[in-house]
């Protein structure tokens, strides 16, 4: 093979240009090669079966004897190896300059690279600073590193401009093969590019092996090259492999990391790759990118599933791997950057912009960093979080909540009011939800309320701690509701301060403080979700195509959660949704409404049918229904000031500022339709609240009759009023700008409006949580009975109230959340109730036999214990006193008790649970934000660029 010769220097440089269907870039690349201020000593071209005239271009510039033609399936590494097999060594210290056909070096690039080589005799591989071919100000690479899962990092922000901020010569783990300058003896020593890596990560593997052999890999920013990244960006067809580019890139990434790490770091990398790939596969499925999910899992399988190939690769890289790992470890991506990248991906996913992927170019850190330096280098992330008004509002509300709930935090057991004392773990809740027959109480084959599954799922995420899940949902409902309202209104309410007022006013409503004081877990969850309902409903009615349909699935999923905790949510939203669909008819709206309200039915059906069978249960919510938790004669003034009554209510005048602001919106001439809709929702919620507060409801097991609590409909009403006031806030800005009396009026309205959240927060902090909820609720089951109930013996718990004596049957332990909402068989309950009344009245007869037949071993009387009840129980020959104190009285049945048989379960129970799990998975995927655009790897026409001067 003949060559083109240049004057012999101390350094001898052989340039190898490899082309494959790259004629659109090759001409400029060859011109740049010939324009070098330090000419190359030899230049050779290789064409891998191009069909666009690339071979002719190479021949025309380098001459026919300096061009080698190879098949189309030849990889870049194989092309370079073929040249070197035919080309003998040159004199002096020979360097190989590898150039892609889409990489055009600056005129002084080679000279800058050789100058760096002279400065460091240990340098074996050098690479230029790469900038984008189209926008020549944009940085692509200043060296490359990876984390232990193979994720490629360059240390650059997306589309970061080159302003000299990284100038200098630096040690890196790898440089791109596009423009790489490598000593020929180093190439021969490490064996060149691995033929198993035909494309992607072959340069990383080569540089890693050079590092392990004791040579330095450096990036020289004084040398600049412009790279089109045609293969990565799919601007030409890839022939060397039949795999999808993303799958090939991911496979090679895992392979390179696992082949080059020492044994113990390899084991940790294997665990991280398996768990990380599973997690990314799940996220890709949620983002509606099944092809990327398949690529992720197949790439991992192609590496892990061929251990022989991995063993062979590791054996070939054994020399120097362990000794050189210390130097390589400094250059790998710090662990903190991996977590930041995961956070960025999740943020991008939740924002609907797709994932920030690093299969190509622009993420994380390239240079080595000292411990903790990554935190200093990424101050932008902290600023984004703590500079967000929504986050600051959440933190402010959290502080107010912590001070107000100071008496509830740190207790032994949370409970009281409507909240059953919180016990057990997530596994107990899962068992309760999944079992076909419940041993709790007197036994029941009814379906457990679905909110038990929701609590179990959240508890599982929170390390199995049910008390932590309840604390987050109930005690944290105020800051969560404020953040939810702020985020949900970002597309509806333009001004930040307006949204802050709306969110803080909503979060500190009397409904919120009353919910916490009375332990109303159901209302707390609905209160947090209600702003999201409004946002998703708005998108459903006004969005286009997929966006509206995705909002419908999301609304249905969240509506199912809210309905599980408080069933009244479903009919309220159903009426409003039907009216909205009729008032704003658009193509596809009817189907979206059907989806939104069909999903809760599908997810909650067996339990929802039980609720509809007893319509009064629609007005109940998760937890206990007691007369002490409601105002039996709630005055109209309370409802008109949005106060639902019961424990924890602030003075009525606290919400006066909100009412005035909403009434002032009626005087505005703009947005009349919006004002009418908002006031319509408010009046509808107010009317439902009046009806609910006047309707007596019997508790699930008949131990209490009291009016329903109107907190949920009042929350609906307040949402409508707040949106009305916020949407007319732009007039306040105009009044302030007008000056004079209008300016004074604007300031007065703002002061009155902000008085509501400020006064509500102040009153809540001053009074604290004023209600029956407590952080130190005693165990309802005496320790004496619990110790003697190892085999499931039941305990009859009697309580004296103003309206008479009530009873509860406990099955050997304190009841779990949700067990009080499982209806017992009515006949059995009536029999036990009659027997309990007979024992207390001293009637005797066969009352003890009835209790024994239902498995009741112990009779416990909760304080206060009247002397009459104590004497009546002592007089029963079938009872023996175990303990009697001012705090508790306990008796034991002296006769043997029966073990009630467990009936055969419904065979369709488990099948329906599996069907619901599948429905939930499908709905979650359809409701997930996904991406607003297709994958970045799709083929796109190359845009026309305007060349910038070099």
């Amino acid at each position: 093979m003949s060559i083109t010769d240049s004057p012999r220097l101390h350094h001898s440089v052989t340039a190898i240009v490899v082309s494959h269907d790259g004629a659109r870039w090759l001409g400029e690349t060859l011109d740049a090669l010939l324009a070098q201020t330090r000419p190359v000593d030899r230049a050779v071209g290789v064409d891998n079966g191009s069909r666009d005239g690339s071979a002719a271009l190479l021949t025309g510039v380098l001459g026919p004897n300096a061009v080698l033609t190879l098949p189309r399936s030849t990889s870049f590494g194989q092309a370079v190896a073929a040249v070197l097999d035919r080309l003998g060594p040159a004199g002096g210290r020979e360097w190989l300059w590898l150039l892609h056909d889409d990489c055009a070096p600056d005129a002084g690039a080679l000279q800058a690279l050789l100058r760096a080589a002279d400065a460091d005799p240990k340098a074996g591989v050098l690479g230029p600073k790469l900038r984008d071919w189209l926008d020549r100000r944009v940085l692509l690479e200043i060296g490359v590193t990876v984390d232990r899962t193979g994720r490629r990092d360059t240390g650059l922000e997306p589309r970061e401009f080159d302003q000299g901020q990284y100038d200098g010569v630096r040690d890196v783990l790898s440089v791109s093969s596009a423009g790489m300058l490598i000593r020929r003896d180093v190439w021969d020593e490490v064996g060149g590019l691995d033929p198993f890596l035909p494309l992607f990560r072959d340069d990383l593997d080569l540089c890693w092996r050079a590092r392990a052999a004791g040579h330095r890999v450096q990036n020289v920013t004084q040398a600049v090259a412009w790279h089109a990244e045609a293969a990565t960006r799919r601007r030409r067809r890839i022939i060397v492999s039949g795999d999808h580019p993303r799958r090939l890139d991911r496979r090679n990434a895992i392979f390179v990391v696992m082949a080059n790490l020492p044994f113990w770091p390899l084991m940790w990398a294997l665990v991280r790759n398996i768990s990380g790939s599973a997690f990314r596969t799940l996220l890709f499925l949620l983002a509606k990118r099944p092809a990327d999910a398949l690529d992720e899992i197949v790439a991992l399988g192609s590496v892990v599933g061929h251990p022989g190939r991995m063993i062979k690769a590791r054996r070939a890289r054994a020399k120097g791997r362990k000794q050189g790992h210390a130097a390589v470890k400094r250059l790998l991506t710090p662990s903190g950057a991996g977590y930041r990248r995961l956070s960025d991906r999740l943020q991008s996913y939740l924002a609907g912009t797709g994932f920030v992927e690093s299969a190509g170019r622009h993420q994380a850190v390239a240079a080595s960093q000292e411990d903790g330096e990554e935190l200093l280098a990424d101050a932008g992330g902290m600023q984004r979080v703590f500079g967000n008004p929504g986050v600051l509002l959440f933190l402010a509300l959290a502080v107010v909540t912590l001070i107000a709930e100071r008496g509830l935090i740190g207790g032994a057991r949370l409970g009281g009011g409507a909240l059953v004392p919180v016990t057990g773990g997530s596994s107990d809740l899962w068992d309760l939800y999944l079992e076909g027959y419940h041993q709790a109480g007197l036994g029941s084959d009814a379906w457990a309320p679905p909110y038990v599954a929701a609590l179990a799922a959240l508890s599982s995420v929170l390390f199995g701690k049910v008390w932590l899940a309840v604390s987050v949902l109930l005690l944290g409902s105020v800051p969560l509701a404020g953040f939810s309202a702020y985020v949900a209104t970002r597309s509806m309410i333009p001004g930040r301060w307006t949204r802050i007022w709306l969110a803080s006013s909503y979060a500190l409503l009397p409904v919120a403080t009353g919910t916490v004081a009375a332990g109303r877990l159901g209302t707390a969850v609905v209160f947090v979700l209600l702003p999201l309902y409004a946002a998703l409903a708005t998108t459903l009615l006004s969005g286009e195509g997929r966006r509206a349909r995705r909002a419908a699935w999301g609304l249905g999923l969240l509506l199912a959660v809210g309905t599980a905790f408080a069933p009244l949510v479903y009919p309220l939203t159903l009426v409003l949704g039907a009216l909205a669909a009729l008032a704003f008819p658009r193509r596809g709206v009817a189907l979206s409404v059907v989806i939104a309200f069909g999903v809760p039915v599908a997810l909650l059906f067996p339990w929802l049918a039980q609720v509809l069978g007893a319509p009064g249960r629609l007005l109940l919510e998760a937890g206990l229904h007691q007369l002490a938790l409601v105002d039996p004669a709630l005055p109209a003034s309370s409802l008109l000031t949005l106060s639902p009554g019961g424990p924890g209510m602030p003075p009525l005048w606290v919400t006066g500022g909100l009412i005035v602001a909403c009434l002032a919106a009626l005087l505005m001439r703009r947005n009349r339709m919006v004002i009418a809709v908002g006031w319509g929702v408010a009046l509808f919620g107010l009317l439902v609240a009046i009806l609910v507060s006047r309707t007596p409801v019997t508790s699930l097991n008949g131990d209490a009759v009291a009016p329903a609590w109107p907190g949920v409909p009042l929350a609906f009403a307040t949402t409508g009023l707040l949106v009305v006031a916020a949407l007319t806030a732009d007039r306040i800005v105009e009044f302030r700008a007008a000056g004079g009396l209008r300016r004074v009026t604007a300031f007065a309205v703002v002061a009155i409006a902000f008085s509501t959240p400020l006064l509500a927060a102040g009153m809540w902090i001053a009074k604290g949580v004023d209600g029956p909820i407590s952080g130190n609720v005693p165990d309802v089951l005496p320790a004496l009975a619990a110790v003697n109930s190892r085999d499931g013996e039941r305990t009859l718990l009697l309580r004296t109230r103003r309206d008479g004596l009530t009873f509860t049957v406990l099955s050997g332990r304190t009841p779990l959340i949700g067990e009080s909402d499982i209806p017992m068989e009515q006949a059995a309950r009536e029999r036990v109730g009659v027997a309990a009344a007979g024992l207390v009245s001293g009637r005797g007869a066969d009352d003890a036999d009835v209790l024994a037949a239902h498995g009741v071993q112990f009779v416990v009387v909760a304080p206060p214990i009247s002397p009459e009840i104590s004497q009546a129980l002592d007089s029963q020959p079938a009872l023996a006193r175990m303990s009697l104190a001012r705090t508790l009285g306990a008796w034991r049945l002296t006769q043997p008790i029966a073990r009630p048989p467990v009936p055969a379960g419904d065979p369709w129970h488990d099948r329906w649970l599996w069907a619901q799990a599948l429905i939930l998975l499908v709905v979650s995927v359809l409701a997930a934000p996904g991406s607003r655009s297709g994958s970045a790897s799709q083929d796109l026409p190359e845009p026309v660029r305007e060349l910038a001067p070099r």
Side-chain angles (χ1 to χ4, degrees), residues 21 136 157 195 249 261 287 373 400 427 498 513 543 725 769 903 939:
D21 291 339
R136 304 215 161 181
E157 295 295 327
D249 176 80
L261 284 175
E373 186 179 342
V400 171
S427 59
T498 304
T513 56
V769 177
D939 286 312

Side-chain angles (χ1 to χ4, degrees), residues 52 231 295 341 562 744 794 831 889 908:
D52 63 350
D295 288 341
R341 185 166 61 250
V744 175
R794 289 170 176 164
R831 288 194 298 270
W908 286 98

Side-chain angles (χ1 to χ4, degrees), residues 822-909:
I822 300 176
M824 288 185 283
E825 183 185 350
Q826 187 64 27
R829 180 171 180 81
E830 289 176 355
R831 288 194 298 270
V832 172
V834 171
L839 287 177
V840 172
S841 64
R843 182 179 62 199
D846 58 352
D847 295 325
D849 295 335
V850 173
L851 295 182
H854 287 86
V856 175
Q857 181 74 73
F858 305 98
V859 177
V860 175
V861 181
I865 306 173
S866 67
E868 293 80 6
I869 294 178
S870 175
Q871 293 173 6
L873 294 176
D874 283 337
S875 67
Q876 295 291 337
L879 294 178
R881 182 193 294 181
M882 299 176 63
S883 171
L884 181 62
R886 287 183 301 174
T887 57
L888 198 69
W891 287 261
R892 179 189 182 99
L893 267 70
T894 57
Q895 64 193 77
I897 63 171
R899 304 290 182 185
V902 177
D906 184 358
W908 286 98
H909 182 273

Side-chain angles (χ1 to χ4, degrees), residues 436-439 443-445 900-906:
Y437 183 82
H438 309 287
Q439 295 285 356
S444 175
D445 60 356
V902 177
D906 184 358

Side-chain angles (χ1 to χ4, degrees), residues 84-106:
L84 297 180
D85 287 342
R86 293 166 171 80
L87 196 64
R93 172 174 284 185
E94 184 178 5
W95 294 85
L96 305 177
W97 197 18
L98 310 182
L99 293 173
H100 296 191
D101 54 9
D102 60 347
C103 176
D106 181 69

